[in-house]
Amino acid sequence: MPRITVNVDGSSYTDDVQPRTLLVQYLREQLGKVGTVVGCDTSNCGACTVHMDGHSVKSCSVLAVQADGHDVTTVEGLARDGQLHPMQEAFHDNHALQCGFCTPGMIMQALDLLADNPEPDDEQVREGLEGNLCRCTGYQNIVNAVQDAAQRMQPGAGPPMEQAQETSTRTHVAGGQ
Protein backbone atom coordinates (compact mmCIF):
# COMPACT_ATOMS: atom_id res chain seq x y z
CA MET A 1 0.00 0.00 0.00
CA PRO A 2 1.49 3.38 -0.98
CA ARG A 3 2.40 5.87 1.75
CA ILE A 4 1.76 9.53 0.99
CA THR A 5 2.62 12.78 2.72
CA VAL A 6 0.30 15.68 2.00
CA ASN A 7 0.16 19.16 3.50
CA VAL A 8 -3.56 19.83 4.06
CA ASP A 9 -4.69 23.18 5.42
CA GLY A 10 -1.25 23.81 6.87
CA SER A 11 -0.79 20.44 8.57
CA SER A 12 1.33 17.61 7.25
CA TYR A 13 -0.26 14.15 7.09
CA THR A 14 1.50 10.88 6.32
CA ASP A 15 -0.85 8.01 5.56
CA ASP A 16 -1.04 4.67 3.87
CA VAL A 17 -3.71 4.72 1.16
CA GLN A 18 -5.14 2.32 -1.36
CA PRO A 19 -3.87 3.21 -4.86
CA ARG A 20 -7.47 3.74 -6.05
CA THR A 21 -8.45 6.14 -3.23
CA LEU A 22 -9.71 9.45 -4.56
CA LEU A 23 -8.47 12.67 -2.99
CA VAL A 24 -12.03 13.55 -1.93
CA GLN A 25 -12.30 10.20 -0.12
CA TYR A 26 -8.94 10.69 1.56
CA LEU A 27 -9.84 14.20 2.72
CA ARG A 28 -13.25 13.21 4.06
CA GLU A 29 -12.73 9.67 5.35
CA GLN A 30 -9.14 9.71 6.60
CA LEU A 31 -8.66 13.35 7.53
CA GLY A 32 -12.22 14.32 8.51
CA LYS A 33 -12.30 17.30 6.10
CA VAL A 34 -16.03 16.91 5.45
CA GLY A 35 -16.40 20.43 4.09
CA THR A 36 -15.18 18.94 0.82
CA VAL A 37 -18.45 17.60 -0.55
CA VAL A 38 -18.96 14.45 -2.61
CA GLY A 39 -21.35 15.50 -5.35
CA CYS A 40 -21.66 13.64 -8.61
CA ASP A 41 -18.54 11.40 -8.60
CA THR A 42 -18.07 12.31 -12.28
CA SER A 43 -16.34 15.72 -11.94
CA ASN A 44 -19.38 17.47 -13.43
CA CYS A 45 -20.69 19.39 -10.40
CA GLY A 46 -17.56 20.90 -8.80
CA ALA A 47 -18.81 20.44 -5.22
CA CYS A 48 -15.55 18.68 -4.32
CA THR A 49 -13.27 21.49 -5.56
CA VAL A 50 -10.16 22.11 -3.45
CA HIS A 51 -6.86 23.82 -4.17
CA MET A 52 -3.76 21.80 -4.89
CA ASP A 53 -0.62 23.93 -4.93
CA GLY A 54 -2.82 27.02 -5.17
CA HIS A 55 -4.99 25.96 -8.11
CA SER A 56 -8.48 24.51 -8.04
CA VAL A 57 -8.95 20.82 -8.79
CA LYS A 58 -11.98 18.60 -8.57
CA SER A 59 -10.88 16.20 -5.86
CA CYS A 60 -13.11 13.42 -7.20
CA SER A 61 -10.90 13.28 -10.30
CA VAL A 62 -7.55 13.22 -8.48
CA LEU A 63 -6.13 10.15 -6.78
CA ALA A 64 -4.80 10.63 -3.26
CA VAL A 65 -1.42 9.29 -4.41
CA GLN A 66 -1.27 12.14 -6.95
CA ALA A 67 -1.43 14.60 -4.04
CA ASP A 68 1.70 13.11 -2.47
CA GLY A 69 4.16 15.93 -1.76
CA HIS A 70 1.64 18.65 -2.59
CA ASP A 71 -0.18 21.36 -0.63
CA VAL A 72 -3.96 20.99 -0.49
CA THR A 73 -6.32 23.65 0.82
CA THR A 74 -9.93 22.85 1.65
CA VAL A 75 -12.72 25.25 2.52
CA GLU A 76 -11.98 24.50 6.19
CA GLY A 77 -8.46 25.83 5.72
CA LEU A 78 -9.55 29.32 4.69
CA ALA A 79 -10.65 30.77 8.04
CA ARG A 80 -7.95 32.14 10.36
CA ASP A 81 -8.17 32.50 14.12
CA GLY A 82 -11.96 32.09 14.05
CA GLN A 83 -12.40 34.75 11.35
CA LEU A 84 -13.91 33.76 8.03
CA HIS A 85 -12.01 34.39 4.83
CA PRO A 86 -13.40 37.43 2.93
CA MET A 87 -14.84 35.07 0.29
CA GLN A 88 -16.67 33.09 2.96
CA GLU A 89 -17.98 36.33 4.48
CA ALA A 90 -19.16 37.55 1.08
CA PHE A 91 -21.04 34.29 0.42
CA HIS A 92 -22.73 34.66 3.80
CA ASP A 93 -23.54 38.35 3.42
CA ASN A 94 -24.91 37.94 -0.11
CA HIS A 95 -27.04 34.86 0.70
CA ALA A 96 -25.04 32.87 -1.84
CA LEU A 97 -25.27 29.60 0.06
CA GLN A 98 -28.93 28.58 0.07
CA CYS A 99 -28.72 24.82 0.69
CA GLY A 100 -24.93 24.99 1.02
CA PHE A 101 -24.18 21.88 -1.02
CA CYS A 102 -22.25 23.66 -3.78
CA THR A 103 -20.81 26.35 -1.52
CA PRO A 104 -17.40 24.81 -0.65
CA GLY A 105 -16.61 24.11 -4.30
CA MET A 106 -17.94 27.49 -5.44
CA ILE A 107 -15.82 29.30 -2.85
CA MET A 108 -12.67 27.42 -3.80
CA GLN A 109 -13.23 27.94 -7.53
CA ALA A 110 -14.06 31.63 -6.98
CA LEU A 111 -10.76 32.11 -5.13
CA ASP A 112 -8.88 30.57 -8.04
CA LEU A 113 -10.77 32.88 -10.41
CA LEU A 114 -9.84 35.97 -8.38
CA ALA A 115 -6.20 34.87 -8.23
CA ASP A 116 -6.14 35.06 -12.03
CA ASN A 117 -8.50 38.03 -12.42
CA PRO A 118 -8.91 40.14 -9.25
CA GLU A 119 -11.56 42.40 -10.82
CA PRO A 120 -13.81 40.24 -12.99
CA ASP A 121 -17.06 41.51 -14.46
CA ASP A 122 -20.27 39.48 -14.09
CA GLU A 123 -19.71 37.56 -17.33
CA GLN A 124 -16.15 36.66 -16.32
CA VAL A 125 -17.41 35.41 -12.94
CA ARG A 126 -20.04 33.25 -14.64
CA GLU A 127 -17.46 31.87 -17.07
CA GLY A 128 -14.96 31.25 -14.26
CA LEU A 129 -17.51 29.26 -12.27
CA GLU A 130 -19.03 27.35 -15.19
CA GLY A 131 -17.63 24.00 -14.01
CA ASN A 132 -19.49 24.29 -10.69
CA LEU A 133 -23.23 23.64 -10.45
CA CYS A 134 -25.74 25.07 -7.98
CA ARG A 135 -28.81 22.92 -7.35
CA CYS A 136 -30.77 25.87 -5.93
CA THR A 137 -30.09 28.10 -8.95
CA GLY A 138 -28.64 30.77 -6.69
CA TYR A 139 -26.26 31.90 -9.41
CA GLN A 140 -27.00 35.63 -9.25
CA ASN A 141 -26.32 35.69 -5.51
CA ILE A 142 -23.13 33.71 -6.10
CA VAL A 143 -21.99 36.18 -8.77
CA ASN A 144 -22.80 39.03 -6.37
CA ALA A 145 -20.79 37.32 -3.62
CA VAL A 146 -17.75 36.87 -5.85
CA GLN A 147 -17.94 40.53 -6.90
CA ASP A 148 -18.25 41.56 -3.24
CA ALA A 149 -15.30 39.35 -2.25
CA ALA A 150 -13.22 40.81 -5.08
CA GLN A 151 -13.74 44.25 -3.53
CA ARG A 152 -13.03 43.00 0.00
CA MET A 153 -9.82 41.34 -1.15
CA GLN A 154 -8.39 44.39 -2.93
CA PRO A 155 -5.19 45.75 -1.38
CA GLY A 156 -6.05 48.22 1.36
CA ALA A 157 -9.65 46.96 1.65
CA GLY A 158 -9.19 45.67 5.19
CA PRO A 159 -6.91 43.69 7.45
CA PRO A 160 -4.72 41.29 5.44
CA MET A 161 -5.33 37.58 5.77
CA GLU A 162 -2.45 35.86 7.48
CA GLN A 163 -0.63 33.62 5.05
CA ALA A 164 1.38 31.65 7.56
CA GLN A 165 -0.17 28.57 9.04
CA GLU A 166 1.00 26.49 11.94
CA THR A 167 2.00 23.04 10.82
CA SER A 168 1.74 19.75 12.58
CA THR A 169 2.63 16.24 11.59
CA ARG A 170 0.52 13.14 12.01
CA THR A 171 1.38 9.65 10.89
CA HIS A 172 -1.40 7.23 10.08
CA VAL A 173 -0.68 3.61 9.34
CA ALA A 174 -3.30 1.24 7.96
CA GLY A 175 -5.08 -0.52 10.78
CA GLY A 176 -4.41 2.11 13.43
CA GLN A 177 -3.36 5.65 14.21
Side-chain angles (χ1 to χ4, degrees):
M1 191 175 316
R3 176 167 285 190
I4 63 172
T5 300
V6 184
N7 185 23
V8 180
D9 296 337
S11 296
S12 181
Y13 298 91
T14 299
D15 291 296
D16 289 336
V17 296
Q18 292 289 331
R20 67 181 178 273
T21 301
L22 296 173
L23 180 57
V24 69
Q25 294 167 321
Y26 174 69
L27 292 171
R28 290 179 60 82
E29 297 167 15
Q30 285 190 248
L31 302 186
K33 300 289 186 174
V34 295
T36 303
V37 180
V38 177
C40 62
D41 285 330
T42 60
S43 76
N44 287 320
C45 75
C48 67
T49 302
V50 298
H51 287 182
M52 188 159 67
D53 296 333
H55 298 284
S56 62
V57 297
K58 293 179 180 178
S59 61
C60 74
S61 64
V62 175
L63 295 170
V65 294
Q66 291 175 293
D68 185 29
H70 293 277
D71 291 321
V72 174
T73 304
T74 70
V75 73
E76 289 115 326
L78 298 179
R80 296 284 182 267
D81 300 322
Q83 182 176 344
L84 294 177
H85 184 281
M87 183 67 75
Q88 292 169 310
E89 288 177 344
F91 266 67
H92 177 268
D93 293 349
N94 287 277
H95 192 63
L97 40 84
Q98 293 181 25
C99 82
F101 193 80
C102 71
T103 305
M106 287 284 189
I107 287 173
M108 299 307 288
Q109 183 61 35
L111 286 169
D112 197 23
L113 166 68
L114 294 184
D116 290 337
N117 181 357
E119 297 183 54
D121 61 29
D122 284 1
E123 187 59 34
Q124 291 168 323
V125 171
R126 290 176 187 281
E127 185 177 309
L129 298 178
E130 71 183 353
N132 293 67
L133 302 177
C134 173
R135 295 176 178 187
C136 301
T137 67
Y139 292 109
Q140 188 55 53
N141 289 348
I142 292 168
V143 170
N144 293 344
V146 175
Q147 293 286 12
D148 183 10
Q151 294 304 309
R152 294 175 192 221
M153 294 169 62
Q154 289 297 315
M161 292 296 297
E162 287 185 36
Q163 297 299 314
Q165 297 182 20
E166 292 182 27
T167 59
S168 64
T169 302
R170 176 185 75 108
T171 301
H172 174 88
V173 180
Q177 291 187 14

